Amino acid sequence: MGAGQSRSSNTLVVQQASSALDQLKYEVAQELGIQIPQDGYYGYMATRDTGAIGGHITRRLVQIAEQQLSGQSGFSR
């Protein structure tokens, strides 16, 4: 891999979704009482905490998708 290339395969299909996912991450972390590092470095966070945030984000996204598929308008947070 050359300089500046990321090894991550988590490429967003809709680039505008980035800010919405970032906002969701902070909301979930706040609900769980987990402090996200201001500098963006997660290396000092417990794996349990980062996993909890990711798991809750996934549950929330599935819930939103299910509501949209069932024809309900909006979603609750």
Side-chain angles (χ1 to χ4, degrees):
M1 280 194 173
Q5 288 182 332
S6 174
R7 292 171 42 104
S8 174
S9 63
N10 295 332
T11 308
L12 294 175
V13 176
V14 180
Q15 292 302 318
Q16 296 82 354
S18 180
S19 61
L21 287 172
D22 204 41
Q23 179 182 349
L24 185 58
K25 173 179 64 179
Y26 283 97
E27 287 178 15
V28 167
Q30 184 177 16
E31 289 173 12
L32 297 174
I34 299 171
Q35 182 68 35
I36 292 182
Q38 294 298 319
D39 62 2
Y41 178 68
Y42 291 85
Y44 297 118
M45 286 186 69
T47 303
R48 179 182 186 108
D49 290 344
T50 56
I53 292 170
H56 279 77
I57 288 172
T58 302
R59 269 189 223 103
R60 184 85 54 90
L61 291 173
V62 168
Q63 180 184 29
I64 291 167
E66 287 174 342
Q67 289 174 348
Q68 288 180 345
L69 289 171
S70 70
Q72 296 177 7
S73 62
F75 54 91
S76 61
R77 291 189 173 198

